[in-house]
Amino acid sequence: MKPLLEFMPITEPLAVDYLIVNLLDPLVDAGHVMKAVDYTIEIMDSAKIASFDSDQLYDYRAQRPSLRYEDGKISEFFAPGLQLDLVHDLSGKRFLYLGGQEPDFKWFAVADSILEIIDRFQVSHTLTLSAMQAAIPHTRSAGMLVRSSKLRPEVQYVPGKAEHFATLSDLLEYQAAKKDINVTNIRARVPFYLAQNEVPYFAGVLSAVKFIAGIGGPQLPLGDLEQLDAQQRQGFINFLENSTELQEVVRGLEADYDSNPNEANFTANGQELGQAQVPSLEEIGVAADRFLAQLAETPKDYVLSSKPESVGGEEQSPKAITAGEVTVSADLEVSAAGEVSTPLPDSEPKRRRGKHHY
């Protein structure tokens, strides 16, 4: 049997501060927040450095593979998968990204393997992502519920107790706490009436991305997300003008939100955490030197071979991200009702993280 986790050969030992774990499952991804973050990272400069054996992890009848038909033949076959990438953020800083579909089997073994990744690359901070529907209006801050295996003094936590169904990322956080390893879960909240929308809830995506940067994590692209959020907000306004019933629902949620003192315990977007202190000239100089030094290198420079060890071939798919019947890409068009659509790109497709191409 193949090893559960296999690493690509690399040119030199790597020490990376941050690991982002994003295990996709529609049941725990309200508003397609996790899916949109995955796309945001996918378009960044990256190289695969490890992968899991899909046959050991997935029920292919529950998470069915897909194929591409061309001129009477099957030209490509895609199966769910989970892979580790080395990525450069906007500042040139390296981070690890473990992305793909949440496995059906061997949760404890996968959690142990992720802890092995943390140890192997000397990861200081691990961030996991999820999204949940909540009784909040879209007109208020898309607050987040944040948890940590080791509480961070700069983060606001919600007091109290609750029980809910678990994810593999939850298990990872629980197991990490036993070993005194720092894992922080970022759970974006999405208005319940938008949780099943085919279009990502961009306010929630922005909150998560800004929070990650605000606590010192990777700096992910914001430009397209901010533009899409503004367009989506305008679409909501236009839609509300024609729906008296929804106006009443939103007003009721706004009243509950404004009168609930517990809302102050939910993290806004973390922007103030990362921008409250103005860096000194010396700090700016050090950051600039590091950025310039890394301009000439890419994540692929650390990988000795571009061929995967445990899967057959490069992983490819259209550059777009698909949520339900809606395809979300860099060329989005947002209608007055907040709907998003785009044609598939004509250019050479980019590989899809977590979808093994055979």
Side-chain angles (χ1 to χ4, degrees):
M1 179 180 292
K2 293 181 180 178
L4 180 63
L5 174 64
E6 286 192 319
F7 294 91
M8 302 288 287
I10 58 177
T11 59
E12 62 184 67
L14 285 174
V16 183
D17 284 340
Y18 275 85
L19 164 66
I20 296 179
V21 177
N22 191 16
L23 307 181
L24 303 176
D25 183 339
L27 293 179
V28 294
D29 187 19
H32 304 296
V33 170
M34 298 166 64
K35 192 82 170 180
V37 172
D38 180 71
Y39 174 74
T40 299
I41 296 176
E42 182 177 347
I43 63 176
M44 302 176 73
D45 194 14
S46 66
K48 183 170 75 172
I49 60 174
S51 62
F52 286 81
D53 180 21
S54 295
D55 273 357
Q56 299 185 49
L57 297 183
Y58 296 101
D59 178 353
Y60 291 137
R61 292 184 299 174
Q63 301 195 57
R64 283 194 175 273
S66 60
L67 58 84
R68 178 170 290 146
Y69 166 90
E70 290 185 13
D71 303 326
K73 295 182 179 180
I74 296 176
S75 60
E76 293 178 284
F77 189 87
F78 303 96
L82 187 61
Q83 74 179 52
L84 180 70
D85 291 330
L86 178 66
V87 190
H88 278 181
D89 74 356
L90 296 181
S91 70
K93 185 168 61 176
R94 298 188 299 262
F95 71 96
L96 295 175
Y97 179 68
L98 181 64
Q101 284 69 41
E102 182 183 54
D104 297 301
F105 308 120
K106 296 193 174 182
W107 276 23
F108 282 86
V110 173
D112 288 342
S113 295
I114 299 175
L115 293 176
E116 177 187 346
I117 290 171
I118 293 172
D119 179 68
R120 183 187 185 104
F121 295 102
Q122 302 175 47
V123 174
S124 302
H125 306 283
T126 299
L127 307 176
T128 65
L129 302 175
S130 56
M132 66 179 187
Q133 55 181 313
I136 58 173
H138 68 276
T139 53
R140 297 296 185 265
S141 172
M144 294 166 292
L145 179 64
V146 179
R147 292 190 323 244
S148 297
S149 58
K150 298 173 65 176
L151 298 183
R152 306 174 65 137
E154 75 275 22
V155 175
Q156 181 71 46
Y157 297 98
V158 177
K161 298 180 180 180
E163 290 188 10
H164 56 77
F165 291 113
T167 67
L168 198 158
S169 294
D170 296 331
L171 174 61
L172 169 64
E173 180 184 338
Y174 181 72
Q175 297 293 83
K178 296 178 181 179
K179 297 187 176 183
D180 198 33
I181 294 175
N182 185 15
V183 174
T184 297
N185 175 256
I186 304 166
R187 190 176 298 266
R189 295 194 303 166
V190 177
F192 68 87
Y193 52 90
L194 298 174
Q196 302 302 319
N197 193 9
E198 294 175 340
V199 181
Y201 181 56
F202 292 111
V205 181
L206 269 175
S207 290
V209 169
K210 289 182 176 180
F211 178 82
I212 290 172
I215 59 174
Q219 297 181 25
L220 307 182
L222 292 176
D224 289 342
L225 292 175
E226 290 177 331
Q227 181 180 7
L228 291 168
D229 178 47
Q231 293 173 331
Q232 189 174 65
R233 289 179 185 275
Q234 185 59 50
F236 292 154
I237 292 173
N238 296 339
F239 184 78
L240 280 173
E241 291 177 350
N242 300 314
S243 177
T244 303
E245 181 180 359
L246 187 55
Q247 288 178 21
E248 294 178 358
V249 171
V250 172
R251 281 196 293 267
L253 291 173
E254 288 175 336
D256 291 341
Y257 184 100
D258 295 339
S259 61
N260 184 0
N262 289 327
E263 285 297 333
N265 294 318
F266 289 92
T267 303
N269 60 29
Q271 196 170 23
E272 70 280 359
L273 299 176
Q275 299 179 359
Q277 295 182 347
V278 178
S280 66
L281 292 177
E282 182 179 356
E283 291 171 332
I284 294 174
V286 171
D289 290 341
R290 182 183 64 190
F291 175 73
L292 293 174
Q294 293 177 339
L295 283 179
E297 65 182 42
T298 71
K300 293 182 177 63
D301 293 334
Y302 293 92
V303 182
L304 292 175
S305 171
S306 61
K307 296 180 180 180
E309 293 181 347
S310 60
V311 295
E314 284 297 308
E315 302 167 10
Q316 299 180 358
S317 78
K319 291 174 65 176
I321 175 177
T322 302
E325 297 298 322
V326 176
T327 301
V328 182
S329 75
D331 301 320
L332 293 170
E333 294 182 1
V334 183
S335 68
E339 298 177 348
V340 180
S341 62
T342 182
L344 286 173
D346 295 327
S347 59
E348 183 69 19
K350 179 182 175 72
R351 65 184 176 83
R352 180 188 303 166
R353 282 191 175 86
K355 282 288 187 179
H356 290 330
H357 168 228
Y358 293 90

